[in-house]
Structures are given as structure tokens and as C-alpha cells.
PDB file of all heavy atoms in Angstrom:
ATOM      1  N   ASP A 228       5.169  -1.428 -10.784  1.00 45.00           N
ATOM      2  CA  ASP A 228       6.395  -0.744 -10.382  1.00 45.00           C
ATOM      3  C   ASP A 228       6.418   0.693 -10.884  1.00 45.00           C
ATOM      4  O   ASP A 228       6.868   1.606 -10.199  1.00 45.00           O
ATOM      5  CB  ASP A 228       7.621  -1.494 -10.939  1.00 45.00           C
ATOM      6  CG  ASP A 228       7.791  -2.851 -10.281  1.00 45.00           C
ATOM      7  OD1 ASP A 228       7.295  -3.012  -9.142  1.00 45.00           O
ATOM      8  OD2 ASP A 228       8.413  -3.731 -10.903  1.00 45.00           O
ATOM      9  N   ALA A 229       5.914   0.883 -12.101  1.00 44.00           N
ATOM     10  CA  ALA A 229       5.923   2.219 -12.696  1.00 44.00           C
ATOM     11  C   ALA A 229       4.994   3.181 -11.970  1.00 44.00           C
ATOM     12  O   ALA A 229       5.185   4.389 -12.013  1.00 44.00           O
ATOM     13  CB  ALA A 229       5.534   2.126 -14.172  1.00 44.00           C
ATOM     14  N   HIS A 230       4.009   2.652 -11.295  1.00 40.00           N
ATOM     15  CA  HIS A 230       3.034   3.494 -10.605  1.00 40.00           C
ATOM     16  C   HIS A 230       3.056   3.278  -9.089  1.00 40.00           C
ATOM     17  O   HIS A 230       2.076   3.489  -8.395  1.00 40.00           O
ATOM     18  CB  HIS A 230       1.624   3.201 -11.133  1.00 40.00           C
ATOM     19  CG  HIS A 230       1.443   3.549 -12.572  1.00 40.00           C
ATOM     20  ND1 HIS A 230       1.819   2.694 -13.580  1.00 40.00           N
ATOM     21  CD2 HIS A 230       0.946   4.657 -13.187  1.00 40.00           C
ATOM     22  CE1 HIS A 230       1.556   3.243 -14.756  1.00 40.00           C
ATOM     23  NE2 HIS A 230       1.033   4.430 -14.544  1.00 40.00           N
ATOM     24  N   LYS A 231       4.183   2.863  -8.565  1.00 41.00           N
ATOM     25  CA  LYS A 231       4.247   2.553  -7.144  1.00 41.00           C
ATOM     26  C   LYS A 231       4.070   3.773  -6.256  1.00 41.00           C
ATOM     27  O   LYS A 231       3.784   3.648  -5.075  1.00 41.00           O
ATOM     28  CB  LYS A 231       5.577   1.852  -6.828  1.00 41.00           C
ATOM     29  CG  LYS A 231       6.808   2.708  -7.121  1.00 41.00           C
ATOM     30  CD  LYS A 231       8.070   1.899  -6.826  1.00 41.00           C
ATOM     31  CE  LYS A 231       9.324   2.716  -7.152  1.00 41.00           C
ATOM     32  NZ  LYS A 231      10.542   1.927  -6.881  1.00 41.00           N
ATOM     33  N   ASP A 232       4.262   4.964  -6.840  1.00 43.00           N
ATOM     34  CA  ASP A 232       4.087   6.183  -6.057  1.00 43.00           C
ATOM     35  C   ASP A 232       2.670   6.741  -6.161  1.00 43.00           C
ATOM     36  O   ASP A 232       2.357   7.771  -5.568  1.00 43.00           O
ATOM     37  CB  ASP A 232       5.079   7.268  -6.524  1.00 43.00           C
ATOM     38  CG  ASP A 232       6.511   6.854  -6.245  1.00 43.00           C
ATOM     39  OD1 ASP A 232       6.729   6.165  -5.228  1.00 43.00           O
ATOM     40  OD2 ASP A 232       7.388   7.212  -7.050  1.00 43.00           O
ATOM     41  N   ASP A 233       1.834   6.041  -6.933  1.00 44.00           N
ATOM     42  CA  ASP A 233       0.452   6.507  -7.112  1.00 44.00           C
ATOM     43  C   ASP A 233      -0.289   6.453  -5.777  1.00 44.00           C
ATOM     44  O   ASP A 233      -0.063   5.574  -4.949  1.00 44.00           O
ATOM     45  CB  ASP A 233      -0.263   5.612  -8.132  1.00 44.00           C
ATOM     46  CG  ASP A 233      -1.657   6.111  -8.441  1.00 44.00           C
ATOM     47  OD1 ASP A 233      -1.774   7.014  -9.291  1.00 44.00           O
ATOM     48  OD2 ASP A 233      -2.609   5.608  -7.828  1.00 44.00           O
ATOM     49  N   ALA A 234      -1.150   7.385  -5.560  1.00 35.00           N
ATOM     50  CA  ALA A 234      -1.858   7.477  -4.282  1.00 35.00           C
ATOM     51  C   ALA A 234      -2.675   6.235  -3.986  1.00 35.00           C
ATOM     52  O   ALA A 234      -2.730   5.756  -2.855  1.00 35.00           O
ATOM     53  CB  ALA A 234      -2.771   8.707  -4.285  1.00 35.00           C
ATOM     54  N   SER A 235      -3.335   5.664  -5.014  1.00 38.00           N
ATOM     55  CA  SER A 235      -4.175   4.495  -4.779  1.00 38.00           C
ATOM     56  C   SER A 235      -3.347   3.289  -4.371  1.00 38.00           C
ATOM     57  O   SER A 235      -3.738   2.507  -3.516  1.00 38.00           O
ATOM     58  CB  SER A 235      -4.989   4.167  -6.034  1.00 38.00           C
ATOM     59  OG  SER A 235      -4.122   3.852  -7.104  1.00 38.00           O
ATOM     60  N   ILE A 236      -2.155   3.163  -4.984  1.00 36.00           N
ATOM     61  CA  ILE A 236      -1.271   2.061  -4.626  1.00 36.00           C
ATOM     62  C   ILE A 236      -0.793   2.238  -3.200  1.00 36.00           C
ATOM     63  O   ILE A 236      -0.721   1.304  -2.422  1.00 36.00           O
ATOM     64  CB  ILE A 236      -0.059   1.984  -5.584  1.00 36.00           C
ATOM     65  CG1 ILE A 236      -0.543   1.782  -7.020  1.00 36.00           C
ATOM     66  CG2 ILE A 236       0.892   0.874  -5.175  1.00 36.00           C
ATOM     67  CD1 ILE A 236      -1.312   0.493  -7.219  1.00 36.00           C
ATOM     68  N   GLY A 237      -0.505   3.457  -2.846  1.00 36.00           N
ATOM     69  CA  GLY A 237      -0.050   3.741  -1.497  1.00 36.00           C
ATOM     70  C   GLY A 237      -1.102   3.399  -0.464  1.00 36.00           C
ATOM     71  O   GLY A 237      -0.798   2.914   0.620  1.00 36.00           O
ATOM     72  N   THR A 238      -2.347   3.630  -0.805  1.00 34.00           N
ATOM     73  CA  THR A 238      -3.432   3.313   0.114  1.00 34.00           C
ATOM     74  C   THR A 238      -3.522   1.820   0.359  1.00 34.00           C
ATOM     75  O   THR A 238      -3.693   1.362   1.480  1.00 34.00           O
ATOM     76  CB  THR A 238      -4.781   3.816  -0.460  1.00 34.00           C
ATOM     77  OG1 THR A 238      -4.700   5.213  -0.668  1.00 34.00           O
ATOM     78  CG2 THR A 238      -5.913   3.499   0.496  1.00 34.00           C
ATOM     79  N   VAL A 239      -3.357   1.042  -0.714  1.00 34.00           N
ATOM     80  CA  VAL A 239      -3.407  -0.401  -0.568  1.00 34.00           C
ATOM     81  C   VAL A 239      -2.286  -0.885   0.324  1.00 34.00           C
ATOM     82  O   VAL A 239      -2.478  -1.700   1.213  1.00 34.00           O
ATOM     83  CB  VAL A 239      -3.313  -1.085  -1.955  1.00 34.00           C
ATOM     84  CG1 VAL A 239      -3.177  -2.591  -1.790  1.00 34.00           C
ATOM     85  CG2 VAL A 239      -4.544  -0.754  -2.784  1.00 34.00           C
ATOM     86  N   ASP A 240      -1.068  -0.356   0.088  1.00 40.00           N
ATOM     87  CA  ASP A 240       0.069  -0.750   0.901  1.00 40.00           C
ATOM     88  C   ASP A 240      -0.162  -0.385   2.357  1.00 40.00           C
ATOM     89  O   ASP A 240       0.161  -1.145   3.258  1.00 40.00           O
ATOM     90  CB  ASP A 240       1.352  -0.070   0.394  1.00 40.00           C
ATOM     91  CG  ASP A 240       1.765  -0.633  -0.960  1.00 40.00           C
ATOM     92  OD1 ASP A 240       1.304  -1.734  -1.293  1.00 40.00           O
ATOM     93  OD2 ASP A 240       2.525   0.035  -1.676  1.00 40.00           O
ATOM     94  N   ALA A 241      -0.716   0.782   2.579  1.00 33.00           N
ATOM     95  CA  ALA A 241      -0.961   1.237   3.937  1.00 33.00           C
ATOM     96  C   ALA A 241      -1.952   0.320   4.645  1.00 33.00           C
ATOM     97  O   ALA A 241      -1.790  -0.021   5.808  1.00 33.00           O
ATOM     98  CB  ALA A 241      -1.501   2.678   3.923  1.00 33.00           C
ATOM     99  N   ASP A 242      -2.978  -0.100   3.894  1.00 36.00           N
ATOM    100  CA  ASP A 242      -3.971  -0.990   4.475  1.00 36.00           C
ATOM    101  C   ASP A 242      -3.354  -2.332   4.842  1.00 36.00           C
ATOM    102  O   ASP A 242      -3.648  -2.900   5.892  1.00 36.00           O
ATOM    103  CB  ASP A 242      -5.131  -1.210   3.488  1.00 36.00           C
ATOM    104  CG  ASP A 242      -5.998   0.033   3.334  1.00 36.00           C
ATOM    105  OD1 ASP A 242      -5.922   0.905   4.219  1.00 36.00           O
ATOM    106  OD2 ASP A 242      -6.739   0.101   2.345  1.00 36.00           O
ATOM    107  N   SER A 243      -2.483  -2.834   3.971  1.00 33.00           N
ATOM    108  CA  SER A 243      -1.837  -4.108   4.232  1.00 33.00           C
ATOM    109  C   SER A 243      -0.982  -4.031   5.480  1.00 33.00           C
ATOM    110  O   SER A 243      -0.975  -4.928   6.308  1.00 33.00           O
ATOM    111  CB  SER A 243      -0.965  -4.524   3.036  1.00 33.00           C
ATOM    112  OG  SER A 243      -1.759  -4.683   1.882  1.00 33.00           O
ATOM    113  N   LYS A 244      -0.240  -2.921   5.618  1.00 34.00           N
ATOM    114  CA  LYS A 244       0.605  -2.741   6.789  1.00 34.00           C
ATOM    115  C   LYS A 244      -0.237  -2.615   8.045  1.00 34.00           C
ATOM    116  O   LYS A 244       0.122  -3.094   9.106  1.00 34.00           O
ATOM    117  CB  LYS A 244       1.484  -1.505   6.604  1.00 34.00           C
ATOM    118  CG  LYS A 244       2.523  -1.650   5.491  1.00 34.00           C
ATOM    119  CD  LYS A 244       3.336  -0.390   5.330  1.00 34.00           C
ATOM    120  CE  LYS A 244       4.357  -0.543   4.196  1.00 34.00           C
ATOM    121  NZ  LYS A 244       5.131   0.696   3.976  1.00 34.00           N
ATOM    122  N   ALA A 245      -1.383  -1.966   7.914  1.00 31.00           N
ATOM    123  CA  ALA A 245      -2.248  -1.787   9.072  1.00 31.00           C
ATOM    124  C   ALA A 245      -2.762  -3.132   9.563  1.00 31.00           C
ATOM    125  O   ALA A 245      -2.829  -3.380  10.768  1.00 31.00           O
ATOM    126  CB  ALA A 245      -3.417  -0.874   8.713  1.00 31.00           C
ATOM    127  N   VAL A 246      -3.089  -4.010   8.630  1.00 31.00           N
ATOM    128  CA  VAL A 246      -3.573  -5.331   9.011  1.00 31.00           C
ATOM    129  C   VAL A 246      -2.483  -6.103   9.738  1.00 31.00           C
ATOM    130  O   VAL A 246      -2.717  -6.732  10.758  1.00 31.00           O
ATOM    131  CB  VAL A 246      -4.023  -6.124   7.754  1.00 31.00           C
ATOM    132  CG1 VAL A 246      -4.322  -7.559   8.117  1.00 31.00           C
ATOM    133  CG2 VAL A 246      -5.257  -5.468   7.144  1.00 31.00           C
ATOM    134  N   SER A 247      -1.256  -6.037   9.188  1.00 29.00           N
ATOM    135  CA  SER A 247      -0.136  -6.734   9.811  1.00 29.00           C
ATOM    136  C   SER A 247       0.149  -6.177  11.199  1.00 29.00           C
ATOM    137  O   SER A 247       0.419  -6.912  12.146  1.00 29.00           O
ATOM    138  CB  SER A 247       1.109  -6.616   8.931  1.00 29.00           C
ATOM    139  OG  SER A 247       0.879  -7.202   7.667  1.00 29.00           O
ATOM    140  N   ALA A 248       0.081  -4.863  11.325  1.00 31.00           N
ATOM    141  CA  ALA A 248       0.368  -4.235  12.598  1.00 31.00           C
ATOM    142  C   ALA A 248      -0.668  -4.608  13.657  1.00 31.00           C
ATOM    143  O   ALA A 248      -0.392  -4.635  14.851  1.00 31.00           O
ATOM    144  CB  ALA A 248       0.400  -2.709  12.436  1.00 31.00           C
ATOM    145  N   ALA A 249      -1.881  -4.919  13.174  1.00 32.00           N
ATOM    146  CA  ALA A 249      -2.950  -5.248  14.110  1.00 32.00           C
ATOM    147  C   ALA A 249      -2.913  -6.722  14.512  1.00 32.00           C
ATOM    148  O   ALA A 249      -3.788  -7.206  15.210  1.00 32.00           O
ATOM    149  CB  ALA A 249      -4.310  -4.936  13.469  1.00 32.00           C
ATOM    150  N   GLY A 250      -1.886  -7.430  14.057  1.00 34.00           N
ATOM    151  CA  GLY A 250      -1.749  -8.823  14.434  1.00 34.00           C
ATOM    152  C   GLY A 250      -2.297  -9.776  13.395  1.00 34.00           C
ATOM    153  O   GLY A 250      -2.331 -10.983  13.595  1.00 34.00           O
ATOM    154  N   GLY A 251      -2.739  -9.245  12.254  1.00 35.00           N
ATOM    155  CA  GLY A 251      -3.295 -10.097  11.195  1.00 35.00           C
ATOM    156  C   GLY A 251      -2.220 -10.436  10.191  1.00 35.00           C
ATOM    157  O   GLY A 251      -1.034 -10.337  10.465  1.00 35.00           O
TER     158      GLY A 251
END
């Protein structure tokens, strides 16, 4: 939570959303 704005965390979240958006 303390590092939720960190770039690496953001990348992981983005990847997860991309998978969901692709139907996964």
C-alpha cells in the first residue's frame, strides 16, 4: 500500500488489467 504509486507496481497492475481486457 505504501508503494502503490511506484512505477513497477503500476506496471504489474497494468499487465493484470490488460489480461482481463483481453478476455483472460
Side-chain angles (χ1 to χ4, degrees):
D228 292 336
H230 296 83
K231 62 182 178 181
D232 295 327
D233 185 83
S235 62
I236 301 298
T238 301
V239 172
D240 291 341
D242 289 342
S243 299
K244 293 179 181 178
V246 171
S247 299

